[in-house]
Amino acid sequence: MTGIYPKAKGKTTAALIAALLLLLAPAEGLAAIGCTLTNPAQDLKYLFPDMTTYREEVRELHRMKNGRALYNVLRERLGSDLDPVYETYETPYTIYTVFKGKDVVGIVHGVNVPGEGGVIQVFISADPKSGAIRQVFYQRLESVVARTLRNRAFLDQFKTLSLADYYKHDYYKVAEPASEQDRIAKLKSPLPDQRGKKDYEASVRGVRKNLILLDIFIYEQRNEPFFQRTQEALAKVKK
């Protein structure tokens, strides 16, 4: 399943050409696959009905000052190994800044994460000032539980969560597993059993990855103090 809103049946010629080029691309060319909206003008207008215009920017860690260090930041704060295809040092990331007149009303960003049924493209819409999540949505989700994961009740659980919440969760799950302040632990999987668990976990990881990258690209790592305090607190707990 692809797309973030109902579209007419069939694919455009451009989409077919893009898909063909991807299939014909040499294996080594897959090392830097980014994640972009298929139809940004339409998709963003759907998300922000009052939108008047938007700006699309590509950010690449390997072109940034201290890029290698920032890549290590992504790995460490994601808390897992990075995928050799979708999460390389050269992977491009696209940021959409949405405007209503001269006012910025939203930031949209998406990432690729490997799932059980194939790559998952998970996007977030973030508050331009706080960086907190406004909405989570999938553009691509090839999963046996795709309909369940796309359920609005599940995705709405992410609203208002921030990267700080994820960092605090790292502490709570070790030191205070029953803490009522752990907002991430309160996320409820919509799956009735273990079927599709890998895609659920990949989705939650994808949201965290989005927030980490936006913290690097847009918010000047304002959540870094939460990460550092968590690491210091965990070090004391583990002594």
Side-chain angles (χ1 to χ4, degrees), residues 11 71 111 157 197 206 225:
K11 295 183 177 180
Y71 184 62
V111 297
Q157 294 182 85
K197 182 181 178 182

Side-chain angles (χ1 to χ4, degrees), residues 51-55 97-101:
M51 180 191 81
T52 55
T53 187
Y54 70 93
R55 182 174 65 234
T97 304
V98 183
F99 295 88
K100 178 182 178 183

Side-chain angles (χ1 to χ4, degrees), residues 43-85:
D43 294 341
L44 296 172
K45 189 67 174 179
Y46 176 76
L47 294 168
F48 300 91
D50 294 334
M51 180 191 81
T52 55
T53 187
Y54 70 93
R55 182 174 65 234
E56 181 176 332
E57 301 174 276
V58 176
R59 303 290 177 88
E60 297 172 279
L61 292 172
H62 71 100
R63 296 184 185 278
M64 296 175 64
K65 182 180 180 180
N66 300 323
R68 180 60 69 176
L70 291 173
Y71 184 62
N72 291 332
V73 163
L74 173 62
R75 177 189 289 109
E76 184 178 11
R77 282 137 189 81
L78 197 53
S80 62
D81 292 333
L82 298 180
D83 185 80
V85 175

